[in-house]
Amino acid sequence: MRELRERRGMSQETFALEAGLARSYYGGVERGLRNLAALNLIRIAATLGCEVGELFPPIEQFKTPRNRRTRSGT
């Protein structure tokens, strides 16, 4: 989120105001200190002009070797 916000030349304060969020809350979100409610995630994506899914890294980054098995177990 930070990278997208910075690409748009927005400060945390300006961005939070546009998204309808408190700056301290949004700052905590960027630093990974706060959990997001779905509605706030949608607000952030809308303010950034992107889809919610674009705010997440590829799922492959979170898969462990155990989770990479196929359904048949191989």
Side-chain angles (χ1 to χ4, degrees), residues 54-74:
E54 294 177 63
L55 300 176
F56 294 94
I59 195 71
E60 292 300 318
Q61 287 183 344
F62 296 99
K63 289 186 176 179
T64 63
R66 183 177 183 186
N67 292 336
R68 289 185 182 155
R69 290 187 200 154
T70 62
R71 288 183 185 215
S72 64
T74 59

Side-chain angles (χ1 to χ4, degrees), residues 6-46:
E6 288 176 343
R7 275 195 234 157
R8 286 162 176 75
M10 299 175 82
S11 68
Q12 278 186 351
E13 186 172 0
T14 301
F15 181 84
L17 184 64
E18 278 196 39
L21 303 169
R23 193 221 42 89
S24 59
Y25 171 80
Y26 180 72
V29 168
E30 274 194 358
R31 291 187 307 279
L33 303 174
R34 304 291 299 256
N35 289 323
L36 277 169
L39 179 58
N40 290 339
L41 186 59
I42 293 166
R43 286 179 176 156
I44 289 168

